[in-house]
Amino acid sequence: EVQLAESGGGLVQAGGSLRLSCVASGLTIVDYAMGWFRQVPGKEREGIACISSSDGTTWYRDSVKGRFTISLDHDRDTAYLQMNSLKPEDAAIYYCAAVYKRPGAQCRTSDGMDYWGKGTLVTVSS
């Protein structure tokens, strides 16, 4: 059984930082691209960042570029999202997701992902 478990969400002031973690079980992340998504109630889930475990190639949504950093710990099958300079508009439920590396696989949009975590809430106050 594949499970992705996010943690690290919480309440921070604007300008603060949080580090989200995603522990994968039932899969080895070296075979997957890992992504982070976020969703506000009533709106579509949007891709924030993703990383390829094979070469470390990353992608970031423009709105978080320079503030967020995605990384992997292969030994722990864990993906991280370091979020700095948080803004109120960053508040959302953040989801970890994984897609098996295969031709055509992508991790920028939610419809491309194979597995999902249950989410962790990030609240940013101003």
Side-chain angles (χ1 to χ4, degrees):
E1 179 183 1
V2 174
Q3 290 187 325
L4 303 177
E6 305 99 332
S7 63
L11 172 64
V12 296
Q13 294 283 343
S17 298
L18 283 174
R19 189 192 193 196
L20 306 183
S21 298
C22 172
V23 179
S25 60
L27 63 82
T28 302
I29 63 171
V30 69
D31 298 321
Y32 291 78
M34 304 296 296
W36 286 96
F37 295 75
R38 67 187 182 190
Q39 187 171 27
V40 175
K43 296 185 178 180
E44 295 183 354
R45 191 172 300 182
E46 64 178 12
I48 300 303
C50 66
I51 184 168
S52 172
S53 60
S54 60
D55 59 8
T57 300
T58 59
W59 170 86
Y60 296 94
R61 177 171 290 274
D62 286 344
S63 61
V64 308
K65 195 173 298 182
R67 299 188 296 122
F68 291 10
T69 303
I70 188 171
S71 61
L72 299 173
D73 184 335
H74 292 95
D75 292 336
R76 297 182 178 182
D77 281 327
T78 301
Y80 301 95
L81 184 68
Q82 178 66 46
M83 304 186 295
N84 298 326
S85 301
L86 282 162
K87 304 175 181 179
E89 53 262 43
D90 294 319
I93 298 175
Y94 282 72
Y95 297 89
C96 175
V99 57
Y100 183 76
K101 294 179 181 177
R102 57 183 181 269
Q106 58 85 27
C107 57
R108 296 173 294 178
T109 58
S110 60
D111 61 345
M113 309 307 291
D114 295 326
Y115 304 104
W116 291 88
K118 295 181 179 180
T120 185
L121 179 64
V122 172
T123 303
V124 184
S125 62
S126 60

mmCIF file of all heavy atoms in Angstrom, residues 61-110:
data_model
loop_
_atom_site.group_PDB
_atom_site.id
_atom_site.type_symbol
_atom_site.label_atom_id
_atom_site.label_comp_id
_atom_site.label_asym_id
_atom_site.label_seq_id
_atom_site.Cartn_x
_atom_site.Cartn_y
_atom_site.Cartn_z
ATOM 1 N N ARG A 61 6.194 26.994 -9.327
ATOM 2 C CA ARG A 61 5.236 27.968 -9.782
ATOM 3 C C ARG A 61 5.842 29.364 -9.602
ATOM 4 O O ARG A 61 6.528 29.638 -8.615
ATOM 5 C CB ARG A 61 3.938 27.838 -8.989
ATOM 6 C CG ARG A 61 2.864 28.857 -9.337
ATOM 7 C CD ARG A 61 1.556 28.506 -8.664
ATOM 8 N NE ARG A 61 0.961 27.319 -9.239
ATOM 9 C CZ ARG A 61 0.175 27.323 -10.314
ATOM 10 N NH1 ARG A 61 -0.134 28.465 -10.927
ATOM 11 N NH2 ARG A 61 -0.325 26.183 -10.775
ATOM 12 N N ASP A 62 5.572 30.236 -10.545
ATOM 13 C CA ASP A 62 6.184 31.557 -10.521
ATOM 14 C C ASP A 62 5.932 32.296 -9.208
ATOM 15 O O ASP A 62 6.806 33.016 -8.720
ATOM 16 C CB ASP A 62 5.682 32.407 -11.686
ATOM 17 C CG ASP A 62 6.277 31.998 -13.017
ATOM 18 O OD1 ASP A 62 7.286 31.272 -13.022
ATOM 19 O OD2 ASP A 62 5.742 32.411 -14.056
ATOM 20 N N SER A 63 4.760 32.124 -8.637
ATOM 21 C CA SER A 63 4.400 32.871 -7.447
ATOM 22 C C SER A 63 5.204 32.475 -6.209
ATOM 23 O O SER A 63 5.217 33.218 -5.229
ATOM 24 C CB SER A 63 2.905 32.721 -7.159
ATOM 25 O OG SER A 63 2.564 31.372 -6.919
ATOM 26 N N VAL A 64 5.860 31.316 -6.240
ATOM 27 C CA VAL A 64 6.659 30.881 -5.098
ATOM 28 C C VAL A 64 8.143 30.812 -5.412
ATOM 29 O O VAL A 64 8.952 30.552 -4.510
ATOM 30 C CB VAL A 64 6.190 29.515 -4.558
ATOM 31 C CG1 VAL A 64 4.696 29.533 -4.284
ATOM 32 C CG2 VAL A 64 6.546 28.390 -5.527
ATOM 33 N N LYS A 65 8.512 31.054 -6.638
ATOM 34 C CA LYS A 65 9.905 30.963 -7.051
ATOM 35 C C LYS A 65 10.757 31.943 -6.254
ATOM 36 O O LYS A 65 10.416 33.115 -6.110
ATOM 37 C CB LYS A 65 10.016 31.234 -8.549
ATOM 38 C CG LYS A 65 11.335 30.827 -9.172
ATOM 39 C CD LYS A 65 11.280 30.987 -10.700
ATOM 40 C CE LYS A 65 10.217 30.089 -11.316
ATOM 41 N NZ LYS A 65 10.191 30.204 -12.797
ATOM 42 N N GLY A 66 11.858 31.441 -5.730
ATOM 43 C CA GLY A 66 12.736 32.253 -4.914
ATOM 44 C C GLY A 66 12.388 32.248 -3.442
ATOM 45 O O GLY A 66 13.198 32.701 -2.621
ATOM 46 N N ARG A 67 11.200 31.762 -3.093
ATOM 47 C CA ARG A 67 10.776 31.705 -1.696
ATOM 48 C C ARG A 67 10.671 30.266 -1.186
ATOM 49 O O ARG A 67 10.932 30.012 -0.013
ATOM 50 C CB ARG A 67 9.427 32.392 -1.516
ATOM 51 C CG ARG A 67 9.439 33.871 -1.886
ATOM 52 C CD ARG A 67 8.125 34.538 -1.489
ATOM 53 N NE ARG A 67 6.989 33.984 -2.235
ATOM 54 C CZ ARG A 67 5.933 33.420 -1.674
ATOM 55 N NH1 ARG A 67 5.850 33.314 -0.347
ATOM 56 N NH2 ARG A 67 4.932 32.959 -2.422
ATOM 57 N N PHE A 68 10.255 29.348 -2.055
ATOM 58 C CA PHE A 68 10.071 27.952 -1.677
ATOM 59 C C PHE A 68 11.169 27.099 -2.296
ATOM 60 O O PHE A 68 11.631 27.376 -3.410
ATOM 61 C CB PHE A 68 8.727 27.421 -2.169
ATOM 62 C CG PHE A 68 7.519 28.002 -1.488
ATOM 63 C CD1 PHE A 68 7.613 29.087 -0.629
ATOM 64 C CD2 PHE A 68 6.272 27.450 -1.727
ATOM 65 C CE1 PHE A 68 6.497 29.617 -0.013
ATOM 66 C CE2 PHE A 68 5.147 27.969 -1.119
ATOM 67 C CZ PHE A 68 5.250 29.050 -0.262
ATOM 68 N N THR A 69 11.550 26.044 -1.587
ATOM 69 C CA THR A 69 12.551 25.111 -2.078
ATOM 70 C C THR A 69 12.099 23.686 -1.818
ATOM 71 O O THR A 69 11.767 23.340 -0.682
ATOM 72 C CB THR A 69 13.919 25.332 -1.413
ATOM 73 O OG1 THR A 69 14.349 26.680 -1.619
ATOM 74 C CG2 THR A 69 14.956 24.384 -2.007
ATOM 75 N N ILE A 70 12.077 22.865 -2.862
ATOM 76 C CA ILE A 70 11.732 21.457 -2.719
ATOM 77 C C ILE A 70 13.019 20.641 -2.701
ATOM 78 O O ILE A 70 13.972 20.954 -3.413
ATOM 79 C CB ILE A 70 10.791 20.994 -3.852
ATOM 80 C CG1 ILE A 70 10.278 19.575 -3.591
ATOM 81 C CG2 ILE A 70 11.464 21.091 -5.208
ATOM 82 C CD1 ILE A 70 9.170 19.139 -4.544
ATOM 83 N N SER A 71 13.043 19.603 -1.885
ATOM 84 C CA SER A 71 14.223 18.760 -1.779
ATOM 85 C C SER A 71 13.808 17.349 -1.393
ATOM 86 O O SER A 71 12.664 17.100 -1.014
ATOM 87 C CB SER A 71 15.220 19.326 -0.762
ATOM 88 O OG SER A 71 14.649 19.393 0.531
ATOM 89 N N LEU A 72 14.761 16.418 -1.491
ATOM 90 C CA LEU A 72 14.514 15.012 -1.194
ATOM 91 C C LEU A 72 15.577 14.462 -0.268
ATOM 92 O O LEU A 72 16.737 14.874 -0.312
ATOM 93 C CB LEU A 72 14.515 14.170 -2.475
ATOM 94 C CG LEU A 72 13.481 14.473 -3.546
ATOM 95 C CD1 LEU A 72 13.767 13.633 -4.787
ATOM 96 C CD2 LEU A 72 12.081 14.208 -3.032
ATOM 97 N N ASP A 73 15.177 13.534 0.562
ATOM 98 C CA ASP A 73 16.087 12.710 1.340
ATOM 99 C C ASP A 73 15.798 11.274 0.922
ATOM 100 O O ASP A 73 14.832 10.671 1.389
ATOM 101 C CB ASP A 73 15.872 12.908 2.837
ATOM 102 C CG ASP A 73 16.870 12.141 3.680
ATOM 103 O OD1 ASP A 73 17.415 11.121 3.205
ATOM 104 O OD2 ASP A 73 17.120 12.557 4.826
ATOM 105 N N HIS A 74 16.626 10.740 0.034
ATOM 106 C CA HIS A 74 16.383 9.410 -0.500
ATOM 107 C C HIS A 74 16.460 8.323 0.571
ATOM 108 O O HIS A 74 15.717 7.344 0.508
ATOM 109 C CB HIS A 74 17.370 9.100 -1.622
ATOM 110 C CG HIS A 74 17.161 9.918 -2.852
ATOM 111 N ND1 HIS A 74 17.847 11.082 -3.093
ATOM 112 C CD2 HIS A 74 16.331 9.732 -3.909
ATOM 113 C CE1 HIS A 74 17.457 11.588 -4.246
ATOM 114 N NE2 HIS A 74 16.543 10.784 -4.760
ATOM 115 N N ASP A 75 17.338 8.489 1.541
ATOM 116 C CA ASP A 75 17.493 7.478 2.581
ATOM 117 C C ASP A 75 16.231 7.343 3.420
ATOM 118 O O ASP A 75 15.956 6.268 3.949
ATOM 119 C CB ASP A 75 18.676 7.813 3.482
ATOM 120 C CG ASP A 75 20.008 7.696 2.774
ATOM 121 O OD1 ASP A 75 20.086 6.958 1.777
ATOM 122 O OD2 ASP A 75 20.972 8.348 3.220
ATOM 123 N N ARG A 76 15.494 8.415 3.548
ATOM 124 C CA ARG A 76 14.281 8.398 4.357
ATOM 125 C C ARG A 76 13.007 8.396 3.520
ATOM 126 O O ARG A 76 11.910 8.449 4.080
ATOM 127 C CB ARG A 76 14.263 9.600 5.301
ATOM 128 C CG ARG A 76 15.401 9.603 6.307
ATOM 129 C CD ARG A 76 15.313 10.790 7.243
ATOM 130 N NE ARG A 76 16.380 10.773 8.229
ATOM 131 C CZ ARG A 76 16.519 11.671 9.192
ATOM 132 N NH1 ARG A 76 15.651 12.673 9.301
ATOM 133 N NH2 ARG A 76 17.527 11.576 10.049
ATOM 134 N N ASP A 77 13.151 8.318 2.203
ATOM 135 C CA ASP A 77 12.001 8.390 1.300
ATOM 136 C C ASP A 77 11.102 9.564 1.678
ATOM 137 O O ASP A 77 9.876 9.425 1.817
ATOM 138 C CB ASP A 77 11.213 7.074 1.304
ATOM 139 C CG ASP A 77 11.868 5.995 0.456
ATOM 140 O OD1 ASP A 77 12.493 6.336 -0.563
ATOM 141 O OD2 ASP A 77 11.740 4.805 0.815
ATOM 142 N N THR A 78 11.725 10.711 1.819
ATOM 143 C CA THR A 78 11.021 11.897 2.282
ATOM 144 C C THR A 78 11.261 13.068 1.345
ATOM 145 O O THR A 78 12.389 13.298 0.900
ATOM 146 C CB THR A 78 11.470 12.279 3.698
ATOM 147 O OG1 THR A 78 11.209 11.190 4.587
ATOM 148 C CG2 THR A 78 10.728 13.512 4.186
ATOM 149 N N ALA A 79 10.198 13.801 1.059
ATOM 150 C CA ALA A 79 10.281 15.044 0.311
ATOM 151 C C ALA A 79 9.997 16.202 1.248
ATOM 152 O O ALA A 79 9.203 16.078 2.188
ATOM 153 C CB ALA A 79 9.282 15.051 -0.846
ATOM 154 N N TYR A 80 10.633 17.324 0.998
ATOM 155 C CA TYR A 80 10.473 18.505 1.833
ATOM 156 C C TYR A 80 10.077 19.705 0.987
ATOM 157 O O TYR A 80 10.405 19.785 -0.198
ATOM 158 C CB TYR A 80 11.770 18.843 2.567
ATOM 159 C CG TYR A 80 12.284 17.747 3.452
ATOM 160 C CD1 TYR A 80 13.235 16.841 2.986
ATOM 161 C CD2 TYR A 80 11.823 17.608 4.757
ATOM 162 C CE1 TYR A 80 13.708 15.830 3.797
ATOM 163 C CE2 TYR A 80 12.297 16.602 5.573
ATOM 164 C CZ TYR A 80 13.242 15.711 5.091
ATOM 165 O OH TYR A 80 13.711 14.704 5.904
ATOM 166 N N LEU A 81 9.391 20.626 1.615
ATOM 167 C CA LEU A 81 9.122 21.917 1.015
ATOM 168 C C LEU A 81 9.448 22.986 2.044
ATOM 169 O O LEU A 81 8.729 23.147 3.031
ATOM 170 C CB LEU A 81 7.665 22.050 0.567
ATOM 171 C CG LEU A 81 7.335 23.349 -0.172
ATOM 172 C CD1 LEU A 81 8.034 23.381 -1.535
ATOM 173 C CD2 LEU A 81 5.824 23.509 -0.343
ATOM 174 N N GLN A 82 10.555 23.678 1.832
ATOM 175 C CA GLN A 82 10.932 24.789 2.684
ATOM 176 C C GLN A 82 10.256 26.040 2.154
ATOM 177 O O GLN A 82 10.458 26.409 0.997
ATOM 178 C CB GLN A 82 12.450 24.972 2.692
ATOM 179 C CG GLN A 82 12.937 26.145 3.522
ATOM 180 C CD GLN A 82 12.684 25.963 4.992
ATOM 181 O OE1 GLN A 82 12.960 24.900 5.539
ATOM 182 N NE2 GLN A 82 12.155 26.987 5.642
ATOM 183 N N MET A 83 9.465 26.685 2.993
ATOM 184 C CA MET A 83 8.705 27.861 2.596
ATOM 185 C C MET A 83 9.185 29.047 3.413
ATOM 186 O O MET A 83 9.053 29.063 4.635
ATOM 187 C CB MET A 83 7.208 27.635 2.803
ATOM 188 C CG MET A 83 6.672 26.402 2.086
ATOM 189 S SD MET A 83 4.872 26.251 2.214
ATOM 190 C CE MET A 83 4.704 25.987 3.979
ATOM 191 N N ASN A 84 9.733 30.030 2.734
ATOM 192 C CA ASN A 84 10.218 31.246 3.362
ATOM 193 C C ASN A 84 9.429 32.442 2.859
ATOM 194 O O ASN A 84 8.766 32.388 1.829
ATOM 195 C CB ASN A 84 11.705 31.448 3.065
ATOM 196 C CG ASN A 84 12.582 30.343 3.597
ATOM 197 O OD1 ASN A 84 12.309 29.770 4.647
ATOM 198 N ND2 ASN A 84 13.664 30.050 2.876
ATOM 199 N N SER A 85 9.531 33.529 3.596
ATOM 200 C CA SER A 85 8.852 34.776 3.227
ATOM 201 C C SER A 85 7.383 34.542 2.907
ATOM 202 O O SER A 85 6.857 35.006 1.890
ATOM 203 C CB SER A 85 9.563 35.431 2.036
ATOM 204 O OG SER A 85 10.917 35.706 2.330
ATOM 205 N N LEU A 86 6.723 33.835 3.788
ATOM 206 C CA LEU A 86 5.341 33.455 3.538
ATOM 207 C C LEU A 86 4.424 34.669 3.482
ATOM 208 O O LEU A 86 4.596 35.637 4.226
ATOM 209 C CB LEU A 86 4.865 32.490 4.615
ATOM 210 C CG LEU A 86 5.367 31.053 4.432
ATOM 211 C CD1 LEU A 86 5.243 30.275 5.731
ATOM 212 C CD2 LEU A 86 4.597 30.363 3.316
ATOM 213 N N LYS A 87 3.457 34.581 2.592
ATOM 214 C CA LYS A 87 2.474 35.628 2.383
ATOM 215 C C LYS A 87 1.089 35.106 2.732
ATOM 216 O O LYS A 87 0.850 33.901 2.676
ATOM 217 C CB LYS A 87 2.494 36.092 0.918
ATOM 218 C CG LYS A 87 3.841 36.570 0.421
ATOM 219 C CD LYS A 87 3.784 36.881 -1.059
ATOM 220 C CE LYS A 87 5.122 37.348 -1.584
ATOM 221 N NZ LYS A 87 5.067 37.640 -3.040
ATOM 222 N N PRO A 88 0.158 35.988 3.072
ATOM 223 C CA PRO A 88 -1.197 35.521 3.371
ATOM 224 C C PRO A 88 -1.800 34.688 2.247
ATOM 225 O O PRO A 88 -2.549 33.737 2.524
ATOM 226 C CB PRO A 88 -1.975 36.826 3.582
ATOM 227 C CG PRO A 88 -0.949 37.772 4.104
ATOM 228 C CD PRO A 88 0.308 37.424 3.348
ATOM 229 N N GLU A 89 -1.490 34.995 1.008
ATOM 230 C CA GLU A 89 -2.031 34.234 -0.104
ATOM 231 C C GLU A 89 -1.440 32.834 -0.227
ATOM 232 O O GLU A 89 -1.908 32.029 -1.039
ATOM 233 C CB GLU A 89 -1.851 34.989 -1.427
ATOM 234 C CG GLU A 89 -0.422 35.430 -1.700
ATOM 235 C CD GLU A 89 -0.180 36.875 -1.314
ATOM 236 O OE1 GLU A 89 -0.655 37.288 -0.239
ATOM 237 O OE2 GLU A 89 0.480 37.595 -2.096
ATOM 238 N N ASP A 90 -0.410 32.525 0.563
ATOM 239 C CA ASP A 90 0.131 31.174 0.599
ATOM 240 C C ASP A 90 -0.689 30.246 1.480
ATOM 241 O O ASP A 90 -0.469 29.031 1.458
ATOM 242 C CB ASP A 90 1.574 31.179 1.098
ATOM 243 C CG ASP A 90 2.529 31.875 0.152
ATOM 244 O OD1 ASP A 90 2.397 31.690 -1.075
ATOM 245 O OD2 ASP A 90 3.423 32.595 0.643
ATOM 246 N N ALA A 91 -1.588 30.772 2.270
ATOM 247 C CA ALA A 91 -2.398 29.953 3.155
ATOM 248 C C ALA A 91 -3.242 28.981 2.346
ATOM 249 O O ALA A 91 -3.924 29.378 1.392
ATOM 250 C CB ALA A 91 -3.282 30.829 4.030
ATOM 251 N N ALA A 92 -3.188 27.715 2.703
ATOM 252 C CA ALA A 92 -3.895 26.681 1.965
ATOM 253 C C ALA A 92 -3.643 25.341 2.644
ATOM 254 O O ALA A 92 -2.848 25.246 3.579
ATOM 255 C CB ALA A 92 -3.414 26.614 0.512
ATOM 256 N N ILE A 93 -4.320 24.322 2.163
ATOM 257 C CA ILE A 93 -3.948 22.964 2.506
ATOM 258 C C ILE A 93 -2.908 22.520 1.492
ATOM 259 O O ILE A 93 -3.129 22.619 0.286
ATOM 260 C CB ILE A 93 -5.152 22.009 2.487
ATOM 261 C CG1 ILE A 93 -6.181 22.445 3.529
ATOM 262 C CG2 ILE A 93 -4.709 20.587 2.759
ATOM 263 C CD1 ILE A 93 -7.459 21.639 3.498
ATOM 264 N N TYR A 94 -1.782 22.054 1.985
ATOM 265 C CA TYR A 94 -0.686 21.629 1.125
ATOM 266 C C TYR A 94 -0.654 20.115 1.039
ATOM 267 O O TYR A 94 -0.722 19.422 2.058
ATOM 268 C CB TYR A 94 0.646 22.160 1.654
ATOM 269 C CG TYR A 94 0.868 23.618 1.317
ATOM 270 C CD1 TYR A 94 0.141 24.609 1.965
ATOM 271 C CD2 TYR A 94 1.784 23.994 0.343
ATOM 272 C CE1 TYR A 94 0.317 25.941 1.640
ATOM 273 C CE2 TYR A 94 1.969 25.329 0.019
ATOM 274 C CZ TYR A 94 1.234 26.294 0.668
ATOM 275 O OH TYR A 94 1.413 27.621 0.352
ATOM 276 N N TYR A 95 -0.543 19.618 -0.179
ATOM 277 C CA TYR A 95 -0.560 18.190 -0.444
ATOM 278 C C TYR A 95 0.747 17.738 -1.081
ATOM 279 O O TYR A 95 1.302 18.417 -1.954
ATOM 280 C CB TYR A 95 -1.694 17.825 -1.403
ATOM 281 C CG TYR A 95 -3.076 18.097 -0.872
ATOM 282 C CD1 TYR A 95 -3.689 19.329 -1.068
ATOM 283 C CD2 TYR A 95 -3.776 17.114 -0.181
ATOM 284 C CE1 TYR A 95 -4.955 19.578 -0.591
ATOM 285 C CE2 TYR A 95 -5.048 17.354 0.296
ATOM 286 C CZ TYR A 95 -5.636 18.596 0.090
ATOM 287 O OH TYR A 95 -6.900 18.833 0.560
ATOM 288 N N CYS A 96 1.198 16.594 -0.659
ATOM 289 C CA CYS A 96 2.310 15.916 -1.291
ATOM 290 C C CYS A 96 1.761 14.913 -2.295
ATOM 291 O O CYS A 96 0.716 14.298 -2.060
ATOM 292 C CB CYS A 96 3.150 15.198 -0.227
ATOM 293 S SG CYS A 96 4.498 14.193 -0.854
ATOM 294 N N ALA A 97 2.447 14.749 -3.411
ATOM 295 C CA ALA A 97 2.009 13.804 -4.429
ATOM 296 C C ALA A 97 3.216 13.185 -5.120
ATOM 297 O O ALA A 97 4.316 13.744 -5.101
ATOM 298 C CB ALA A 97 1.116 14.497 -5.460
ATOM 299 N N ALA A 98 2.992 12.024 -5.724
ATOM 300 C CA ALA A 98 4.053 11.297 -6.406
ATOM 301 C C ALA A 98 3.553 10.769 -7.738
ATOM 302 O O ALA A 98 2.392 10.384 -7.866
ATOM 303 C CB ALA A 98 4.555 10.136 -5.546
ATOM 304 N N VAL A 99 4.437 10.760 -8.730
ATOM 305 C CA VAL A 99 4.127 10.182 -10.031
ATOM 306 C C VAL A 99 5.283 9.289 -10.447
ATOM 307 O O VAL A 99 6.449 9.690 -10.369
ATOM 308 C CB VAL A 99 3.839 11.268 -11.091
ATOM 309 C CG1 VAL A 99 5.007 12.235 -11.245
ATOM 310 C CG2 VAL A 99 3.493 10.629 -12.435
ATOM 311 N N TYR A 100 4.949 8.081 -10.861
ATOM 312 C CA TYR A 100 5.973 7.147 -11.297
ATOM 313 C C TYR A 100 6.648 7.671 -12.562
ATOM 314 O O TYR A 100 5.984 8.169 -13.476
ATOM 315 C CB TYR A 100 5.370 5.766 -11.556
ATOM 316 C CG TYR A 100 6.374 4.716 -11.939
ATOM 317 C CD1 TYR A 100 7.202 4.143 -10.991
ATOM 318 C CD2 TYR A 100 6.497 4.290 -13.262
ATOM 319 C CE1 TYR A 100 8.132 3.177 -11.338
ATOM 320 C CE2 TYR A 100 7.423 3.329 -13.615
ATOM 321 C CZ TYR A 100 8.239 2.776 -12.654
ATOM 322 O OH TYR A 100 9.163 1.814 -13.000
ATOM 323 N N LYS A 101 7.965 7.545 -12.610
ATOM 324 C CA LYS A 101 8.715 8.026 -13.763
ATOM 325 C C LYS A 101 8.468 7.127 -14.966
ATOM 326 O O LYS A 101 8.873 5.976 -14.982
ATOM 327 C CB LYS A 101 10.198 8.093 -13.436
ATOM 328 C CG LYS A 101 10.551 9.127 -12.383
ATOM 329 C CD LYS A 101 12.028 9.118 -12.088
ATOM 330 C CE LYS A 101 12.376 10.131 -11.022
ATOM 331 N NZ LYS A 101 13.818 10.078 -10.675
ATOM 332 N N ARG A 102 7.814 7.668 -15.941
ATOM 333 C CA ARG A 102 7.505 6.974 -17.172
ATOM 334 C C ARG A 102 7.391 8.023 -18.273
ATOM 335 O O ARG A 102 7.233 9.207 -17.979
ATOM 336 C CB ARG A 102 6.200 6.184 -17.042
ATOM 337 C CG ARG A 102 5.009 7.037 -16.647
ATOM 338 C CD ARG A 102 3.771 6.193 -16.463
ATOM 339 N NE ARG A 102 2.611 7.001 -16.115
ATOM 340 C CZ ARG A 102 2.249 7.287 -14.868
ATOM 341 N NH1 ARG A 102 2.962 6.822 -13.847
ATOM 342 N NH2 ARG A 102 1.164 8.022 -14.647
ATOM 343 N N PRO A 103 7.489 7.601 -19.524
ATOM 344 C CA PRO A 103 7.354 8.582 -20.597
ATOM 345 C C PRO A 103 6.051 9.355 -20.487
ATOM 346 O O PRO A 103 4.980 8.774 -20.321
ATOM 347 C CB PRO A 103 7.389 7.714 -21.864
ATOM 348 C CG PRO A 103 8.201 6.526 -21.475
ATOM 349 C CD PRO A 103 7.816 6.254 -20.043
ATOM 350 N N GLY A 104 6.149 10.645 -20.559
ATOM 351 C CA GLY A 104 4.983 11.497 -20.472
ATOM 352 C C GLY A 104 4.603 11.915 -19.072
ATOM 353 O O GLY A 104 3.692 12.742 -18.912
ATOM 354 N N ALA A 105 5.259 11.368 -18.055
ATOM 355 C CA ALA A 105 4.925 11.726 -16.685
ATOM 356 C C ALA A 105 5.297 13.180 -16.407
ATOM 357 O O ALA A 105 6.320 13.672 -16.867
ATOM 358 C CB ALA A 105 5.641 10.815 -15.708
ATOM 359 N N GLN A 106 4.448 13.860 -15.661
ATOM 360 C CA GLN A 106 4.711 15.231 -15.250
ATOM 361 C C GLN A 106 4.122 15.448 -13.869
ATOM 362 O O GLN A 106 3.218 14.736 -13.447
ATOM 363 C CB GLN A 106 4.146 16.233 -16.259
ATOM 364 C CG GLN A 106 2.654 16.124 -16.515
ATOM 365 C CD GLN A 106 1.841 16.895 -15.507
ATOM 366 O OE1 GLN A 106 2.310 17.883 -14.938
ATOM 367 N NE2 GLN A 106 0.611 16.456 -15.278
ATOM 368 N N CYS A 107 4.650 16.428 -13.170
ATOM 369 C CA CYS A 107 4.243 16.651 -11.789
ATOM 370 C C CYS A 107 3.813 18.093 -11.532
ATOM 371 O O CYS A 107 3.777 18.529 -10.380
ATOM 372 C CB CYS A 107 5.369 16.267 -10.828
ATOM 373 S SG CYS A 107 6.932 17.132 -11.092
ATOM 374 N N ARG A 108 3.469 18.814 -12.571
ATOM 375 C CA ARG A 108 3.074 20.207 -12.426
ATOM 376 C C ARG A 108 1.578 20.398 -12.268
ATOM 377 O O ARG A 108 1.143 21.437 -11.750
ATOM 378 C CB ARG A 108 3.572 21.032 -13.626
ATOM 379 C CG ARG A 108 5.093 21.108 -13.736
ATOM 380 C CD ARG A 108 5.517 21.776 -15.016
ATOM 381 N NE ARG A 108 5.157 20.985 -16.187
ATOM 382 C CZ ARG A 108 5.373 21.356 -17.439
ATOM 383 N NH1 ARG A 108 5.945 22.521 -17.692
ATOM 384 N NH2 ARG A 108 5.004 20.572 -18.441
ATOM 385 N N THR A 109 0.805 19.435 -12.703
ATOM 386 C CA THR A 109 -0.645 19.523 -12.603
ATOM 387 C C THR A 109 -1.176 18.314 -11.850
ATOM 388 O O THR A 109 -0.624 17.221 -11.928
ATOM 389 C CB THR A 109 -1.308 19.614 -13.976
ATOM 390 O OG1 THR A 109 -0.940 18.475 -14.759
ATOM 391 C CG2 THR A 109 -0.860 20.876 -14.701
ATOM 392 N N SER A 110 -2.264 18.504 -11.131
ATOM 393 C CA SER A 110 -2.773 17.470 -10.251
ATOM 394 C C SER A 110 -3.230 16.223 -10.994
ATOM 395 O O SER A 110 -3.138 15.115 -10.454
ATOM 396 C CB SER A 110 -3.913 18.011 -9.394
ATOM 397 O OG SER A 110 -4.986 18.460 -10.204
#
